[in-house]
């Protein structure tokens, strides 16, 4: 049946707990059904879709999202959102429906094997063909990069785009924070693109080192088997906890200014 009680994180937590209990009893099924998400909640933007798809893949629960970006001037999926959704489905091994520009609905059904590409590390490319924010693709993909074999992510679009985190934030804040959790993420900026530019796409190549050799998937029977890969709570607990009440003192402050050059072809200083 369709599960609609509570928020997705709450439901996802209950599903993961049920998976661990049933795994211990050699059962491979759970009482958790398809999760239905109203994409118009709160600000009603693309982040609801990205988080919902990621949680669906990590918990192996089907999800249906409706009213996607309903309150936006152009409702439904733009190219950047579609590119991100297709990337996640490919990373996690899932069937996706209604995936087209302008669609206000998506259905994601994780496959039983749970591993795209047969469980072998791969290089995946996400290219919306626009200046859509690369960092939003990155936000969606990083959690799955901890759970599924991956060599390199090639993300194309805009590196410095209005109303989105810049790639510099990802380099100087996001990646170092992940490393403190015990998950080194290497980001290489191949080319920059500002949202005011025309021409070549920006490109960022990403590689992630999971905290254990077997990634974040428990080996063994039930929900943690290599045939039905389900990232378990035990695996997530292997991340290094952070101490947030002692941030330390700033050692150095740096400023970097980039410019797209403008119509006159000048260089940013």
């Amino acid at each position: 049946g369709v599960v609609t009680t509570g928020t997705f994180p709450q439901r996802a937590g209950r599903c993961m707990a049920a998976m661990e209990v049933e795994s211990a009893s050699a059962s491979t099924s759970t009482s958790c059904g398809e999760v239905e998400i109203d994409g118009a909640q709160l600000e009603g933007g693309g982040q609801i879709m990205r988080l919902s798809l990621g949680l669906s893949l990590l918990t192996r629960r089907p999800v249906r999202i409706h009213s996607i970006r309903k309150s936006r001037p152009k409702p439904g999926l733009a190219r950047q959102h579609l590119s991100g959704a297709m990337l996640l489905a490919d990373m996690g091994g899932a069937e996706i429906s209604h995936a087209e520009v302008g669609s206000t609905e998506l259905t994601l059904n994780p496959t039983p094997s749970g591993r795209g590409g047969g469980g072998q590390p791969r290089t995946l490319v996400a290219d919306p063909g626009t200046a859509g924010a690369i960092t939003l693709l990155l936000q969606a993909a990083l959690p799955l990069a901890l759970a599924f074999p991956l060599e390199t992510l090639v993300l194309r679009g805009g590196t410095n785009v209005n109303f989105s985190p810049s790639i510099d934030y990802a380099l100087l804040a996001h990646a170092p924070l992940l490393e403190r959790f015990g998950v080194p993420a290497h980001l290489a900026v191949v080319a920059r693109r500002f949202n005011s530019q025309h021409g070549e796409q920006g490109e960022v190549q990403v590689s992630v080192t999971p905290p254990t050799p077997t990634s974040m998937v428990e080996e063994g029977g039930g929900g943690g088997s290599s045939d039905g890969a389900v990232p378990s709570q035990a695996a997530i607990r292997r991340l290094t906890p952070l101490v947030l009440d002692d941030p330390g003192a700033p050692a150095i402050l740096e400023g970097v200014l980039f410019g797209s050059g403008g119509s006159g072809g000048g260089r940013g200083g």
Side-chain angles (χ1 to χ4, degrees), residues 7-269:
T7 64
F8 199 155
Q10 290 171 339
R11 294 195 295 273
R14 289 198 293 267
C15 285
M16 292 183 78
M19 287 176 188
E20 290 198 340
V21 170
E22 293 174 6
S23 174
S25 62
S27 172
T28 58
S29 63
T30 74
S31 58
C32 297
E34 178 186 90
V35 179
E36 185 172 312
I37 298 295
D38 181 0
Q41 294 182 82
L42 301 176
E43 67 158 346
Q47 193 72 343
I48 294 176
M49 179 206 73
R50 285 184 286 267
L51 288 174
S52 297
L53 295 180
L55 287 170
S56 169
L57 290 164
L58 290 172
T59 59
R60 313 310 300 165
R61 307 314 309 168
V63 64
R64 173 181 172 267
I65 313 168
H66 64 85
S67 305
I68 296 173
R69 303 181 73 244
K70 182 179 180 180
S71 301
R72 293 295 196 256
K74 294 182 179 180
L77 298 174
R79 291 186 180 278
Q80 187 257 22
H81 306 101
L82 178 60
S83 180
M86 298 302 294
L87 173 64
L88 295 184
D90 197 1
M91 289 178 69
E95 299 171 351
I96 190 167
S97 303
H98 311 291
E100 58 187 37
V101 173
S103 175
T104 58
E105 178 181 335
L106 274 180
T107 300
L108 190 75
N109 186 24
T111 56
S113 65
R115 293 191 183 191
Q120 298 301 315
R122 299 171 295 156
T123 294
L124 298 180
V125 179
D127 185 353
T130 68
I134 286 176
T135 51
L136 297 184
L137 293 173
L138 182 65
Q139 285 181 2
L142 275 176
L144 294 185
L146 303 179
F148 302 104
L150 188 67
E151 286 184 350
T152 306
L153 275 176
V154 179
L155 307 178
R156 296 179 180 141
T159 56
N160 300 75
V161 179
N162 292 343
F163 311 112
S164 302
S166 68
I167 193 61
D168 305 286
Y169 174 83
L171 286 167
L172 301 175
H174 199 173
L177 187 61
L178 283 175
E179 188 164 3
R180 292 180 64 187
F181 275 110
V183 184
H186 177 70
L187 280 62
V189 180
V190 178
R192 288 181 180 268
R193 180 178 177 182
F194 296 76
N195 61 302
S196 59
Q197 276 183 303
H198 298 283
E200 296 295 326
Q201 291 286 77
E203 180 177 314
V204 176
Q205 297 184 2
V206 184
S207 60
V208 178
T209 303
T212 64
T214 56
S215 186
M216 294 194 52
V217 178
E218 290 290 302
E219 299 297 335
S225 71
S226 58
D227 293 329
V230 178
S232 71
Q233 291 177 328
I236 292 173
R237 292 191 189 103
R238 287 199 290 267
L239 294 172
T240 303
L242 299 184
V243 178
L244 299 178
D245 57 357
D246 183 17
I252 188 171
L253 294 176
E254 295 183 356
V256 180
L257 176 64
F258 293 97
S260 61
S263 59
R267 298 181 61 185

